[in-house]
Amino acid sequence: MNNEIDVRLYDSFSDIPFGGNIAGIVFERDEFGLDDKSRQLIARELAAPTTGFLKQINNNEFSIQFFSSTSEMDMCGHVTIAAFAAAYDENKIVLDNNNNAEIILSTKAGKIKISISKNSKYKVHIQIKQRPPNFERFDLDEDVFVKNLGIRRSELSENLPIGIVSTGLRHLFVGLINIETLSAIKTNDEALFEFSRINKIDTIGLYAMSKVTGITLRLRDFCHGVGNPEESASGTTNGALACHLTKFGILSPSKKGKVKMVAQQGFEMKRPSIVKTELTVNEKLNITDVYVSGSAYRVMSGKLYY
């Protein structure tokens, strides 16, 4: 073998092993000489839903590229969370006297602000500032769509809106009548890959809400557009979903102009995740800031030879 590179696997949006979403992390150095073809091969070999290739520019600035097993992605929230948990674990993050750090991260989706805070003796909390949302209408052929989910048209919610939102990736959101319907989904993956390709959709977010014990929101994120049939925790999708629900008045801002959303994800995949989103809304009810936050748990560290 001619080359070796350090690799890590983290469970993102989880503080315990075997929860959340798996993220591959590679710390890049100039001497590795990796090109995009090599990055794609490494991501495919690691077989995580997405792998991030993180490069440190200085104490407060990093760059990153994201690769699924099949293609490069402009942005990936759960890998960003994992990348900075890993950077902290490897002593690459310098905290100030208040145990905080502010980082600028360059991605294909643009520059993103990352806030890091140490919230216990061992763990750090990572917050991602996403881009303000872009909204689009979408005319969904409901009969064809539900056929490819293995559910009935009557199981689509009449009260939850359908639309496309982007804060970095392009997400289609469709509401279902209850959380039990989410568990009944049986996807036609070949058809959904084609649907996503034709409509240039990165992920399909199917969600439901329950008011039995307060408001519980649960999301399933089908990511055929970026090469993964389903993700168990998605930062960009949750940020966009909070924007979607706020635009249509399902979520309302506080008197201070804040919207907070806590979503369950990954439960049907036996990888439970909790993803927290916070929005800032101005006096005109426009969304100005989108933040998604969480932590990550390291489950593997080793070397890849190539």
Side-chain angles (χ1 to χ4, degrees):
M1 298 295 180
N2 296 322
N3 302 292
E4 64 179 57
I5 191 168
D6 292 330
V7 297
R8 296 153 184 81
L9 292 180
Y10 274 73
D11 287 344
S12 189
F13 290 112
S14 179
D15 57 5
I16 59 172
F18 315 124
N21 198 358
I22 303 170
I25 304 295
V26 174
F27 289 116
E28 286 221 27
R29 297 198 300 268
D30 289 337
E31 59 266 31
F32 291 159
L34 294 179
D35 57 15
D36 285 352
K37 182 179 179 180
S38 299
R39 294 183 185 99
Q40 185 66 76
L41 289 170
I42 291 168
R44 189 174 70 186
E45 188 71 12
L46 288 178
T50 310
T51 294
F53 294 80
L54 185 69
K55 186 174 183 179
Q56 185 163 17
I57 299 169
N58 55 50
N59 282 345
N60 301 103
E61 190 172 358
F62 290 74
S63 65
I64 195 168
Q65 287 181 254
F66 305 99
F67 287 82
S68 74
S69 59
T70 60
S71 62
E72 185 173 8
M73 303 163 57
D74 288 348
M75 178 59 192
C76 181
H78 87 271
V79 173
T80 301
I81 295 288
F84 285 97
Y88 175 80
D89 289 343
E90 299 293 328
N91 298 313
K92 298 179 182 294
I93 302 296
V94 179
L95 300 179
D96 62 21
N97 292 334
N98 295 316
N99 284 326
N100 298 317
E102 300 291 331
I103 303 293
I104 298 298
L105 177 66
S106 295
T107 76
K108 291 289 180 71
K111 290 190 175 182
I112 295 170
K113 180 181 175 183
I114 307 293
S115 300
I116 300 171
S117 59
K118 188 176 180 181
N119 58 5
S120 72
K121 184 177 179 180
Y122 302 107
K123 298 184 183 302
V124 290
H125 189 77
I126 298 103
Q127 183 185 70
I128 307 167
K129 184 177 182 180
Q130 299 180 4
R131 296 189 310 196
N134 180 58
F135 299 99
E136 301 174 46
R137 290 188 59 187
F138 188 78
D139 295 323
L140 183 68
D141 186 331
E142 295 182 357
D143 290 327
V144 174
F145 187 70
V146 298
K147 181 179 179 181
N148 293 326
L149 299 175
I151 61 175
R152 298 183 298 272
R153 185 173 180 176
S154 60
E155 292 175 302
L156 298 182
S157 173
E158 296 181 356
N159 301 315
L160 297 175
I162 293 172
I164 290 178
V165 187
S166 172
T167 60
L169 297 178
R170 201 161 176 262
H171 310 277
L172 169 65
F173 292 113
V174 179
L176 303 183
I177 57 172
N178 55 43
I179 288 174
E180 290 71 27
T181 303
L182 283 172
S183 301
I185 290 171
K186 292 180 174 59
T187 58
N188 180 339
D189 289 323
E190 183 178 351
L192 291 177
F193 276 118
E194 184 66 7
F195 173 86
S196 299
R197 184 190 66 80
I198 291 172
N199 293 287
K200 298 180 180 179
I201 291 169
D202 292 308
T203 86
I204 302 168
L206 300 176
Y207 67 99
M209 304 176 74
S210 170
K211 296 183 179 180
V212 175
T213 56
I215 295 179
T216 298
L217 189 150
R218 186 171 293 184
L219 167 71
R220 293 188 72 175
D221 194 24
F222 298 99
C223 305
H224 297 78
V226 295
N228 296 322
E230 186 171 4
E231 300 273 9
S232 55
S234 313
T236 55
T237 308
N238 275 274
L241 178 57
C243 295
H244 179 67
L245 295 176
T246 300
K247 174 181 172 61
F248 288 97
I250 308 299
L251 298 178
S252 301
S254 68
K255 292 181 179 179
K256 295 183 179 180
K258 300 294 183 182
V259 175
K260 295 185 179 181
M261 184 183 88
V262 179
Q264 300 174 343
Q265 192 179 340
F267 283 68
E268 294 78 13
M269 301 175 71
K270 310 302 182 186
R271 297 192 64 89
S273 309
I274 300 295
V275 183
K276 298 178 180 179
T277 305
E278 182 175 308
L279 310 179
T280 303
V281 180
N282 65 19
E283 62 278 1
K284 297 181 179 180
L285 299 182
N286 294 320
I287 298 166
T288 58
D289 299 301
V290 182
Y291 299 97
V292 176
S293 61
S295 57
Y297 188 96
R298 181 170 59 189
V299 292
M300 193 201 79
S301 180
K303 292 186 181 296
L304 184 147
Y305 299 93
Y306 65 101

